[in-house]
Amino acid sequence: MTPLLAVDDLHLWYDADGGKVVRAVDGVSFTLEQRGEALGIVGESGSGKSSLALALMRMLPKNVARFDGAVRLAGRELTPLSDDQFRREIRWQRIAMVFQGAMSVLNPVLRIGEQIAEPLLLERRYDKARARARVRDLLERVGLPAGFASRYPHELSGGQRQRIGIATALALDPDVLILDEPTSALDVSVQAQIMNLLKDLKEDPGISMLFITHDIGLASDLCDRIAVTYAGEQMEVGPAERVLVAPRHPYSQLLLASLPRLHSDVPPRTMPGDPPDLTAIPAGCRFHPRCPYAWEDCLNHPPGIPLPDGGHARCWLNDPVVAGDRYQIQLRPTEAARD
Amino acid sequence: MTETLLARSITVSSSQPLLALDDVSMAFRTRRGLFRSGEVTAVAGVSLAIARGETVALVGESGSGKTTVGRVSLRLLQPTSGRVVFDKQDITDVPEERLNWLRKRTAIVFQDPFSSLNPYMTVADLIAEPLVIDGLKDAGVRRAQVRAALAAVDLTPTDRFVNRHPSSMSGGQRQRVGIARALIRNPDYMVADEPVSMVDASSRVEILNLLHGLQRERGVTFLYITHDIASARHFAGRIAVMHLGSIVETGSARQVIDHPVHPYTRALIAAVPEPDPANRFLRRSTEQWQDTPGVAIHADCPHGGSLTLPAVLLEVSGDPGHAVACHLEPPRGR
């Protein structure tokens, strides 16, 4: 079956001060397999996870130094499309996005209904009466009463604003919904409400999602598969139920070990070192300066090594020839190796 | 009346608390339009005692009043009613100009290391500022103390950090500067208000371990304010769960998290997305808790939730040290 979204060797680099280049997305490949699949893109700030979203939406800043790679949507190659074609046919219609701070995304002087209707009225996709009916449907789908259409953003709570962000993204029935930290400013109980809504939308109408977050627990609550991102690369991709208990990349393991567990007295462990500067990425494996398992071979840049469950891990520990005896090392997420 | 006394005796049980809040309430005046004004009760009847060298976590969602309790405990706010006692001295009504001694013995670590540090100051100046305010004129002594504080928060070698500006540092490093600044006067009592919520996941444990180490090595007493109940389990001996201005449940971290009694505590715990394969794709409780502040009553209440008496903290029978807000008899746990 043709994947819904196939991304192959995507790069997005930025020019920075002093002639440096920020390699925010550096050779990322993944697929979103079918309708209603959710892939979690998990990474810390500076890992390039938000740049990946902007690259897929083609919402690029002015200082782009390199932007290439293949993006196919249901088999259709998107890369050759002109910016104008992409705006008319893809952005918001086929691929839509919910941003992190719904507070700053909504226009404070426009009523909620007008904001949701904006993409509907552009290009005369809907006439005014149909747009109004559509706004009512969208509000209902995200769990808000139709009366919210006449309210202003400041009258809404954070959770309600994020629901408006989701309604706006759903306006043109996209195939893929990209969510960039949609709950990071919300309380846990409100976060749970938004997550319940996303779980519903994943079931019906079966929207496929790229869920970008720093919180691997939150990602695993919604997502079928998880892609762990570090320094512009995907370190590990695999089914969430496997990555949580048997990660195959030391970074995934240390990330999981660093989380304080609610129902366990095993103390969370410190991850040594700091994330690399994306203008001066370490040679070889990007994680090797912080990795407790690193050996000489880690100075060679590892490819994504295929795993039996269809995922892959960018770590030599998964290559029996290179790893030798180390191939047997189990990466248990609650007992990270001491540095 | 006896119930109220019992409740106090539970929450103010530590023999020699460094800090004790006794039935503290805090109301803020609000303005609605030009002429109308209202009142918002942020904290209602909170009693809490923190023993020397102890860490108590105050856990709650936004609007629960947890930050207000922290500020009242430092007398940055004067409570509307109730008493604040620090090291056996009643500081409830002491005017600010006579609180210099308290300012030297207490400190706060703020949530946001991006906005709480002046971007035009160097790390050394930021950390030394409290000493300048104290009138310490000897620049050499100040420098030595700044270096000691930097070393205490693991910003080493200190030479590499003294002349930097916050903008060139990561969130975790900035928060260390905030902690060094809080430490510089060797405080006995520190309020850490969401100290890691704006720090990257992999750096959070380092910051919390650092605070934990200060507690062990220097005997600093902590009030750890957080929305993250999982972190409270690992970094606090005792947890007090706040909801709508009141403490609804308190006990050891294990008592509160492994055997929660109050329905709000249960909902809060169920809402946490633990990274566990058994905890995926669940519909989580999204109970709206629109109770009246101070009356922690709810339909799940085993007593029917129909009482109008204010809830008081009562010990869970058979579970010493574990108390829950209730309107009636001591509830049963486990």
Side-chain angles (χ1 to χ4, degrees), chain B residues 11-278:
Chain B
T11 47
V12 194
S13 59
S14 314
S15 50
Q16 275 284 315
L18 179 66
L19 180 96
L21 301 177
D22 185 19
D23 203 16
V24 161
S25 294
M26 183 78 219
F28 293 102
R29 253 199 298 282
T30 58
R31 270 181 63 165
R32 287 176 192 151
L34 266 182
F35 303 107
R36 287 193 298 159
S37 72
E39 212 173 63
V40 173
T41 305
V43 171
V46 163
S47 296
L48 185 69
I50 310 178
R52 255 170 231 282
E54 186 188 23
T55 297
V56 172
L58 206 51
V59 178
E61 295 185 277
S62 53
S64 63
K66 57 190 193 297
T67 293
T68 303
V69 168
R71 295 192 176 201
V72 167
S73 79
L74 292 168
R75 256 308 311 278
L76 296 174
L77 290 170
Q78 189 172 9
T80 319
S81 67
R83 315 302 306 166
V84 186
V85 179
F86 182 83
D87 200 7
K88 291 172 269 176
Q89 299 186 61
D90 189 327
I91 55 168
T92 318
D93 302 312
V94 179
E96 179 61 42
E97 60 270 21
R98 287 186 14 227
L99 280 177
N100 274 343
W101 64 273
L102 182 74
R103 302 285 166 252
K104 289 180 189 175
R105 293 186 57 189
T106 60
I108 183 164
V109 178
F110 295 99
Q111 174 172 13
D112 184 353
F114 296 88
S115 69
S116 60
L117 298 176
N118 185 334
Y120 296 105
M121 291 170 78
T122 62
V123 164
D125 290 343
L126 281 164
I127 297 172
E129 197 178 26
L131 300 178
V132 175
I133 292 167
D134 286 350
L136 180 67
K137 296 218 165 58
D138 187 331
V141 175
R142 285 207 306 262
R143 258 199 305 276
Q145 289 198 29
V146 165
R147 281 173 194 277
L150 280 170
V153 298
D154 294 334
L155 286 176
T156 50
T158 56
D159 288 342
R160 270 182 41 202
F161 291 97
V162 280
N163 291 321
R164 285 173 75 175
H165 288 267
S167 58
S168 70
M169 302 170 84
S170 72
Q173 289 174 332
R174 289 183 206 208
Q175 197 55 295
R176 287 165 190 272
V177 173
I179 295 168
R181 183 180 155 101
L183 271 184
I184 194 83
R185 282 161 154 168
N186 256 319
D188 302 318
Y189 172 60
M190 278 171 80
V191 173
D193 189 353
E194 298 272 16
V196 296
S197 69
M198 299 191 69
V199 173
D200 260 320
S202 70
S203 307
R204 284 182 186 171
V205 180
E206 265 179 277
I207 300 281
L208 290 171
N209 279 341
L210 176 67
L211 294 173
H212 207 53
L214 295 174
Q215 184 214 45
R216 270 200 319 268
E217 289 154 27
R218 305 186 177 207
V220 181
T221 304
F222 271 101
L223 183 65
Y224 171 51
I225 298 174
T226 183
H227 67 281
D228 179 1
I229 193 166
S231 73
R233 178 186 192 111
H234 297 277
F235 295 98
R238 216 146 47 89
I239 291 179
V241 178
M242 276 197 82
H243 176 57
L244 293 172
S246 299
I247 292 176
V248 296
E249 186 157 358
T250 173
S252 72
R254 287 187 198 180
Q255 283 172 327
V256 171
I257 292 173
D258 295 342
H259 306 283
V261 174
H262 197 279
Y264 178 73
T265 315
R266 291 181 178 173
L268 194 66
I269 288 169
V272 176
E274 269 276 278
D276 174 352

Side-chain angles (χ1 to χ4, degrees), chain A residues 167-216:
Chain A
T168 309
L170 293 177
L172 297 173
D173 273 326
D175 305 298
V176 179
L177 191 58
I178 301 173
L179 301 126
D180 188 5
E181 300 268 15
T183 66
S184 65
L186 305 175
D187 270 326
V188 279
S189 63
V190 183
Q191 169 174 285
Q193 292 173 19
I194 298 293
M195 294 304 285
N196 285 347
L197 171 62
L198 295 176
K199 288 168 198 165
D200 290 344
L201 294 169
K202 191 180 160 218
E203 290 288 312
D204 174 28
I207 297 177
S208 291
M209 302 181 185
L210 277 185
F211 185 79
I212 298 171
T213 179
H214 67 279
D215 183 342
I216 195 167

